[in-house]
Structure formats: C-alpha cells, structure tokens
Amino acid sequence: MSNDLLQRGKAIKLAVFDVDGVLTDGRLYFLEDGSEFKTFNTLDGQGIKMLMNAGVQTAIISGRKTPVVERRAKNLGIPHLFQGREDKLVVLDGLLEELGLSYEQVAYLGDDLPDLPVIRRVGLGMAVANAADFVREHAHGVTRARGGEGAAREFCELILRAQGRLDAANAAYL
C-alpha cells in the first residue's frame, strides 16, 4: 500500500460506493417475471460496518435502481442511498453540502466510466481490480480484489489503516 494512498485516507470522513461491479461482481440476473437479484460479499458488508463504527459516514450512488440495493443498504445501515443516478458528481455535490464536507474528505470506489468524474475529484478515488482500463489509469489506486469479491473490504480497511483505526476495529470483535 502506497504512502500516497495512506496519506489521502487520513482525511476521509465519507466513503461512497458504486454498486454494480463494486459491491457486486457486475453481473445482472433477471428472473422470468422481470425481477432481478444480485449477490453481495459479506466481507464487504463487514468492512462497511467497521467504517461506520469508526465514525466514517457511508453512501451509495448507483446508476441503476433496484429494490435489492435498497434492501442491502438498509441491512447495512448505510444512511445515504442514491439510485438511478448517472450524474454522480451532481449527487455528491448535494450530499457534501448537506453534510458540510469537502471533496478532500471523500473516498470513492468505482469501476466504470460514470464513476470517473467522482474518482478524479475526491480526496481518495479508487477503482476495483477489474474496473475498466481507463478508470484504473485515472484512479489514485486500484484494489487487489475484484468487484464483489472483497474489493470494498480492502478499500474500507485502507481507510481504517490510514486513520490508525484498523487494529481497534478488528479488536472490537475479540
């Protein structure tokens, strides 16, 4: 892990996640009745909970809208959920105004072109290992794990480590 990523992670007060390809493996599963389902990684969910327990706020901004994501966000206790929004930077502008935060205090994890404006603007903009090449090239860092396979957990632990809170977050479970 680079010193630059750790330095960027020190100031983070809000962690924002894309869904498809980040919290999931990016596959879309449609049933005959038109409904869909997604699979989420429990390691990612635990990482998000660890962040929130350490005082870092969390949000999801997704280009697609589905009840499954609403259920997952509620299950994890993620207070800020924005779905069906391709204009992610506009959404984030409003959220930062509401929370009284600056871009330098935001970390974002994404995987594709709609995430790129946010990744380039925030204090810590990261891409998952299987993100689009162009997105990985412009991110501050890239996770070792693929989307839906622990990338969000890795991202969360990076922030906690940068803030000197990872050991305490882990010790809370002893």
Side-chain angles (χ1 to χ4, degrees):
M1 180 174 320
S2 78
N3 285 336
D4 178 56
L5 293 180
L6 290 173
Q7 192 63 37
R8 289 176 177 279
K10 286 181 182 179
I12 302 307
K13 303 271 188 237
L14 172 67
V16 183
F17 303 86
D18 177 37
V19 176
D20 294 320
V22 173
L23 296 179
T24 74
D25 65 8
R27 297 180 201 172
L28 301 176
Y29 300 92
F30 294 98
L31 302 176
E32 285 186 30
D33 66 3
S35 63
E36 66 180 273
F37 70 91
K38 301 174 185 291
T39 60
F40 296 92
N41 189 303
T42 59
L43 292 174
D44 291 340
Q46 183 61 39
I48 291 169
K49 287 180 180 181
M50 290 165 61
L51 262 187
M52 292 188 297
N53 288 339
V56 176
Q57 297 189 62
T58 57
I60 288 174
I61 304 175
S62 178
R64 300 190 73 247
K65 183 174 175 71
T66 173
V68 176
V69 173
E70 185 174 344
R71 189 173 308 120
R72 181 65 171 157
K74 185 176 182 177
N75 178 262
L76 292 174
I78 296 172
H80 308 286
L81 172 62
F82 305 91
Q83 293 195 81
R85 300 294 300 265
E86 292 288 332
D87 55 345
K88 296 180 180 192
L89 201 53
V90 172
V91 173
L92 186 56
D93 281 338
L95 183 57
L96 291 181
E97 186 174 327
E98 175 187 329
L99 298 176
L101 297 175
S102 68
Y103 277 104
E104 293 75 29
Q105 295 172 301
V106 177
Y108 186 89
L109 184 61
D111 73 316
D112 211 347
L113 295 175
D115 302 310
L116 193 54
V118 177
I119 287 172
R120 294 188 57 176
R121 184 79 180 268
V122 298
L124 175 60
M126 293 190 62
V128 297
N130 57 321
D133 289 343
F134 193 69
V135 175
R136 287 196 322 267
E137 290 169 14
H138 286 87
H140 297 122
V142 178
T143 63
R144 290 182 311 274
R146 299 168 56 87
E149 298 177 6
R153 175 64 169 266
E154 185 180 330
F155 174 75
C156 293
E157 287 188 355
L158 183 153
I159 295 166
L160 290 167
R161 183 174 289 114
Q163 296 181 3
R165 298 177 180 184
L166 183 59
D167 289 340
N170 287 329
Y173 293 92
L174 292 176

